[in-house]
Each structure stands twice: as structure tokens, then as C-alpha cells.
Amino acid sequence: MTLDEALADLRARIEPGRAEGAAAYHKVEREYLGVTNPAINEITTGWRRTLTVDERVTLADALWRTDIYEARLAAAKLLTQARIKGDDPVWALIVSWVPDFDSWAIADHVCMAGQKRLVADPTRVDTVEGWTTSDHMWTRRAALVITLPWTKQNHPKPEDLAIRDRVLGWAATYVDDREWFIQKAVAWWLRDLSKHDPDRTRAFLDAHGDRMKAFARKEAGKYLA
């Protein structure tokens, strides 16, 4: 499949008036087509069924480079799959996109694809740790969003607990960051963790909660008794 063919598939699902609303909502200067998320899901599911991994990586790279909002979402969705044999090129492409993040929606879709690759090979957390000291706010935020799977295990193995504690260490360095999206990401990680590991969540909030913004502290403890 060529880039032109892929863009034609997306443009065929444009809903009149939707692009203007998306541009106003996301407030980032780029082209918006006006295609719904369910439509992009349907299109990319079809692509994944017919393309090899190498072909998907090539197409995803081309879609990303257009800087069209829906094309970037489609690029991420094209790579979102639990099991991918020989996934190093997929992981490398995802990592290459992180410095381009400039909005939560695109970043979160890419991080969902990245979560699958981290779970497939947890040693990749070493790469993610380097993001935590970036000058780029969206890169710092991505370190928490992409590691969310480690908030969700009910019966984590020792190596999973080690990653959980490692990420909590990153979050502790974030609590003095006044950027709203960083505070929100810390709260998101803790809120999800509290459903499965309330003791660690309470311990974090006891140690660092007074330095978090009030909304983040409240969100983090939402499910704690």
C-alpha cells in the first residue's frame, strides 16, 4: 500500500465540519481531515491484516511524516498489536516519534502502541528512563503514559514490582514540575496503581503528595479509602 492510497482511505471517511472542530479543540497547527476515531480503527485494522510488519513500519513512517492529525493516529494504530515477531523496527520507529509529540491525543495513541512493545520486552524501560530528564515536556510525560501497564497487574512478578518502583521513582522527580500535563500524568499513574496496589500509592502520596498540585493529589487518591 502506498502513502497516497492510505491517505485516500482516510479522506474517504471525512465527515464534513469535523475537521474545524478538531482543530479548535486540539489547538495545534496542522491539517485535520475530520475522520472519527472508530473509522480510523476500522481502516487500520484492515491495513494490519494485509501488510507485513516491514510494510506496516514503512507506511506508518510515511503517514507520520505528513503531520496530518488523523494520519499520525493511523500510524500509531498501525503498530498497535500485542504480538509482533521481530518487533525491533517497530519499537525503533515509536521511539523516533517521541520528540515530535505536541498534543496529548497523538502522544497517547503512540504510547498505547509503545506499551505493547514494552510489555513484550521490558528491558526497553531502560530507554524510557532517558526520557524522564528531557527538556521536552511531552517526552517526560510519555515516560509515565507508556509504562501504565505496570500499574495494572494484580499479581505482579518481582521484576514487575521492580519496574513499578522504578517508575514511581521517576514520578517522585516530577511532583515539583508545575506543568499541568506532567501533574496530570503523575495523578493518572497513581490513580490506576491505587486500584491494584493501594499501599504503594498511599506511601507515595504520604511522601510526596503535599508537593503535588491539589487537583493532581485529589485525582491520584480518587479510589483510596
Side-chain angles (χ1 to χ4, degrees), residues 21-194:
Y25 176 74
H26 292 290
K27 298 180 175 65
V28 178
E29 195 68 33
R30 59 166 41 96
E31 181 178 356
Y32 296 83
L33 299 179
V35 182
T36 67
N37 199 50
I40 300 172
N41 285 337
E42 183 180 332
I43 291 166
T44 54
T45 296
W47 293 347
R48 288 199 305 269
R49 289 172 179 161
T50 61
L51 299 175
T52 67
V53 172
D54 287 345
E55 289 169 340
R56 285 161 58 186
V57 167
T58 298
L59 180 58
D61 182 40
L63 286 164
W64 186 268
R65 291 175 187 275
T66 67
D67 196 27
I68 298 170
Y69 174 73
E70 290 87 349
R72 287 197 161 185
L73 296 191
K77 291 174 184 293
L78 194 53
L79 303 182
T80 304
Q81 182 177 326
R83 293 180 177 84
I84 301 178
K85 187 176 181 180
D87 69 347
D88 283 346
V90 176
W91 173 244
L93 185 58
I94 289 169
V95 170
S96 76
W97 290 342
V98 174
D100 295 336
F101 289 172
D102 57 8
S103 73
W104 66 266
I106 291 174
D108 288 2
H109 277 87
V110 174
C111 284
M112 283 188 278
Q115 288 169 11
K116 306 293 187 184
R117 308 281 50 82
L118 278 186
V119 171
D121 183 356
T123 66
R124 290 168 173 158
V125 171
D126 291 344
T127 297
V128 176
E129 186 163 33
W131 302 354
T132 63
T133 56
S134 173
D135 292 335
H136 182 229
M137 182 274 290
W138 293 105
T139 296
R140 297 196 306 277
R141 176 183 180 273
L144 295 186
V145 180
I146 205 169
T147 53
L148 280 168
W150 278 273
T151 68
K152 302 181 189 304
Q153 304 109 324
N154 284 317
H155 304 289
K157 298 176 181 178
E159 53 268 33
D160 294 317
L161 288 175
I163 292 175
R164 185 174 286 181
D165 287 335
R166 188 174 179 181
V167 179
L168 285 170
W170 305 346
T173 70
Y174 284 10
V175 295
D176 293 317
D177 190 323
R178 299 295 90 186
E179 171 60 53
W180 189 90
F181 279 106
I182 295 295
Q183 292 280 317
K184 181 69 173 178
V186 172
W188 183 2
W189 217 92
L190 293 169
R191 183 196 65 204
D192 283 7
L193 180 65
S194 71

